């Protein structure tokens, strides 16, 4: 294996062919582990990197299907055993020399999109389109896996030039901001002095790196379930407990949460499902909602109010209730020292002609949970955007990106590690 564009392209196309949705990335993880093992890394899996209390939005049907698909596609049993139901892995490189610790993060999941049949689409032309119907690497996380592996390969060949430790996090379930919290809470990167993560594409074309994206929105995705009691709507409505009515009241109250005076907030109830039949007092209701806030504290205010209302309504309507956090991300401010370093490194690449430091991200990304965890333990963090020309928007069926930027990504990460640990 050499860290060159042909190796990177080969990896990217291999992962592109077998996209897996969040928490079902069993084949993806096992394949990453195969490569990391060949490179000589220590590989942490399963509960070594996952705190089960912070696992968000993981559905058992998706997990079961993912396991079955992975086995059918040739995932190694030894990795599946070590994963113990939880996808993702962390590669650890200990140089054996005292020094700092750098954590890098690459997300590995796909999105629920069916890849286009358009014959002009390069994965169709070159025969590496998705084999998993209804799923596609339409956000570029196949690029992220590849850049992570390329960085790992370089590290394995150059560790004599470094001191300290590198931890490469291959994170599951970024879509829906579900995977980072469990990894952060496992403590696996608590010893990191530096953290770096990135996304390919978005607003930036090939040749541009956004070294300091701002305005990451904090968000919490919450499900509320009301459970009442069915009864005959004509003869005995007084014996029923109406979950639909409880949920309907909850929805209007949720949208009426007082706005925070110190910053932007959002709330959206996106799904309300309730009831079984016209003449039955509805016994079940489910609400799916999200809140957002300008920062972690303001978002937490919104989430706390949601929990309060969920409970208050349950008492008022005499129904049982459950809430579950399905996903979360926080805001994060990049540390200027690392922004400067990324900028300098990016501009030193001949193919990069500009760095845009002040781009407003205005979306959520759960790498922020890992970055902030490192910052809260006294470390420094940076998240940047690696420009790449695209054929369509992210999460679209025709999405594809300029594969040459894979090498640019590897060069930025490997130089960054060299500068921090060299
Ligand atoms: Zn993405």
């Amino acid at each position: 294996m050499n860290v060159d564009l042909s190796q990177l392209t080969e990896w990217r196309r291999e992962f592109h062919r077998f996209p897996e949705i969040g928490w079902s990335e069993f084949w993806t993880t096992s394949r990453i582990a195969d490569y990391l093992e060949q490179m000589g890394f220590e590989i942490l899996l399963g509960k070594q990197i996952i705190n089960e209390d912070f696992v968000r939005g993981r559905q058992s049907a998706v997990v079961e299907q993912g396991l079955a698909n992975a086995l059918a596609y040739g995932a190694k049993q030894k990795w599946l055993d070590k994963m113990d139901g939880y996808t993702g892995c962390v590669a650890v490189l200990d140089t054996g020399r005292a020094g700092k610790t750098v954590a890098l993060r690459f997300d590995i999941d796909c999105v629920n999109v069916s890849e286009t049949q358009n014959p002009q689409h390069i994965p169709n032309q070159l025969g590496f389109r998705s084999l998993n119907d209804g799923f596609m690497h339409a956000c570029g996380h196949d690029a992220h896996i590849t850049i992570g592996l390329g960085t790992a390969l370089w590290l394995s060949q150059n560790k004599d030039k470094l001191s300290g430790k590198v931890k490469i996090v291959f994170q599951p379930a970024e879509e829906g901001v579900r995977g980072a919290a469990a990894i952060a809470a496992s403590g696996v990167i608590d010893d990191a002095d530096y953290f770096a993560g990135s996304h390919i594409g978005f607003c930036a074309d090939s040749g541009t790196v956004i070294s300091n994206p701002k305005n990451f929105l904090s968000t919490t995705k919450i499900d509320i379930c009301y459970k009442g009691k069915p009864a005959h709507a004509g003869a005995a409505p007084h014996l029923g407990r109406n979950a639909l009515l409880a949920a309907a009241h909850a929805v209007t109250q949720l949208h009426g949460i007082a706005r925070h005076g110190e910053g932007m907030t959002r709330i959206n109830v996106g799904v309300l499902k309730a009831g079984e039949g016209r003449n039955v007092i509805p016994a079940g209701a489910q609400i799916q909602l999200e809140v957002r806030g300008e920062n972690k504290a303001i978002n937490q205010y919104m989430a706390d109010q949601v929990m309060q209302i969920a409970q208050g309504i349950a008492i008022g309507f005499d129904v049982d209730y459950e809430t579950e956090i399905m996903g979360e991300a926080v805001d994060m401010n990049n540390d200027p020292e690392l922004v400067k370093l990324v900028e300098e490194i990016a501009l030193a690449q001949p193919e990069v002609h500009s760095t845009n430091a002040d781009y407003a991200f205005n979306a959520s990304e759960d790498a922020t949970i890992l970055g902030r965890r490192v910052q809260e333990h006294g470390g420094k963090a940076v998240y940047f955007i690696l420009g790449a020309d695209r054929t369509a928007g992210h999460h679209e069926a025709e999405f594809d990106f300029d594969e040459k930027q894979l090498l640019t990504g590897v060069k930025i990460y490997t130089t960054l590690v060299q500068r921090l640990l060299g």
Side-chain angles (χ1 to χ4, degrees):
M1 287 184 280
N2 284 314
V3 193
D4 55 23
L5 188 55
S6 75
Q7 173 66 79
L8 297 175
T9 305
E10 196 183 301
W11 277 333
R12 184 263 164 156
R13 293 178 184 180
E14 182 185 14
F15 286 102
H16 189 85
R17 278 165 69 90
F18 206 74
E20 294 172 298
I21 202 79
W23 295 121
S24 80
E25 312 94 325
F26 291 102
W27 177 82
T28 305
T29 303
S30 91
R31 203 69 192 120
I32 292 169
D34 285 342
Y35 289 122
L36 292 171
E37 186 181 47
Q38 283 173 39
M39 296 173 198
F41 280 86
E42 180 194 354
I43 305 163
L44 307 178
L45 292 146
K47 286 171 202 154
Q48 291 176 302
I49 62 161
I50 296 281
N51 180 331
E52 287 181 291
D53 294 341
F54 292 82
V55 168
R56 307 303 191 203
R58 176 176 171 272
Q59 291 156 331
S60 51
V62 171
V63 172
E64 293 310 315
Q65 187 62 54
L67 263 171
N69 290 350
L71 271 171
Y73 201 65
K76 286 206 183 96
Q77 190 64 48
K78 72 166 178 177
W79 299 128
L80 296 177
D81 289 345
K82 286 187 179 158
M83 279 185 243
D84 199 9
Y86 293 104
T87 48
C89 65
V90 175
V92 184
L93 178 90
D94 189 344
T95 63
R97 281 175 289 280
K100 306 254 184 191
T101 296
V102 175
L104 308 176
R105 176 275 204 177
F106 303 93
D107 45 1
I108 66 172
D109 56 329
C110 77
V111 287
N112 291 84
V113 168
S114 295
E115 190 150 17
T116 179
Q117 301 285 347
N118 183 345
Q120 300 304 314
H121 182 61
I122 300 218
N124 289 336
Q125 272 186 42
L126 301 182
F128 66 94
R129 68 174 280 114
S130 167
L131 296 172
N132 281 348
D133 263 357
F135 301 99
M136 176 186 172
H137 270 298
C139 194
H141 299 184
D142 48 351
H144 299 167
I145 298 167
T146 302
I147 294 170
L149 284 176
T151 302
L153 180 56
W154 183 92
L155 288 170
S156 71
Q157 293 167 344
N158 292 275
K159 63 178 172 206
D160 295 345
K161 297 178 194 157
L162 306 170
S163 56
K165 270 191 208 175
V166 184
K167 292 183 168 177
I168 309 177
V169 178
F170 291 91
Q171 184 209 300
E174 189 281 327
E175 300 294 343
V177 288
R178 296 174 292 153
I183 292 184
S186 78
V188 68
I189 59 164
D190 284 359
D191 59 345
D193 301 287
Y194 300 103
F195 172 88
S198 61
H199 207 297
I200 195 164
F202 271 110
C203 44
D205 295 332
S206 296
T208 303
V209 169
I210 295 176
S211 56
N212 192 22
K214 292 177 180 159
N215 296 17
F216 290 96
L217 299 183
S218 292
T219 182
T220 309
K221 322 292 185 193
I222 303 169
D223 281 3
I224 305 172
C225 236
Y226 285 111
K227 212 164 160 272
K229 198 164 158 291
H232 194 289
H238 60 289
L239 297 180
R241 294 286 174 264
N242 195 323
L244 180 151
L245 209 49
H249 276 261
V251 171
T252 54
Q253 288 204 14
L254 289 166
H255 274 267
I257 293 172
R259 291 304 183 260
H260 204 290
E262 287 159 22
M264 184 279 288
T265 59
R266 299 266 191 280
I267 180 160
N268 186 55
V269 176
V271 175
L272 166 57
K273 290 181 195 154
E276 290 157 308
R278 189 186 306 279
N279 56 1
V280 182
I281 300 296
Q286 199 215 11
I287 294 171
Q288 296 177 14
L289 70 102
E290 61 166 33
V291 293
R292 294 177 197 254
E294 193 166 318
N295 59 43
K296 191 176 170 183
I298 290 173
N299 180 64
Q300 192 57 50
Y301 158 79
M302 293 296 287
D304 289 346
Q305 295 294 304
V306 168
M307 297 305 186
Q308 194 74 23
I309 288 170
Q311 183 186 23
I313 291 281
I315 295 169
F317 284 81
D318 195 16
V319 292
D320 291 332
Y321 85 109
E322 263 174 33
T323 57
E324 190 178 351
I325 295 175
M326 303 302 284
E328 59 190 319
V330 295
D331 62 314
M332 181 178 110
N333 293 318
N334 283 337
D335 285 290
E337 176 194 330
L338 291 182
V339 170
K340 228 179 119 233
L341 201 50
V342 166
E343 218 163 73
E344 211 179 293
I345 293 166
L347 285 175
Q349 311 305 320
E351 70 276 24
V352 176
H353 51 72
S354 68
T355 56
N356 174 356
D358 287 310
Y359 173 78
F361 195 65
N362 284 333
S364 301
E365 151 68 91
D366 68 1
T368 53
I369 292 183
L370 294 161
R372 271 188 81 143
R373 178 94 177 189
V374 170
Q375 288 174 328
E376 277 155 17
H377 284 81
K380 295 190 164 137
V382 69
Y383 183 91
F384 62 95
I385 296 173
L386 171 67
D389 293 340
R390 290 173 290 109
T391 50
H394 290 259
H395 298 199
E396 290 178 20
E398 313 237 339
F399 178 85
D400 193 23
F401 62 86
D402 173 11
E403 287 177 327
K404 290 196 293 297
Q405 303 315 310
L406 296 169
L407 192 55
T408 308
V410 171
K411 287 192 291 176
I412 291 175
Y413 275 105
T414 53
T415 314
L416 185 65
V417 172
Q418 226 173 339
R419 292 285 294 270
L420 296 171
L421 302 182

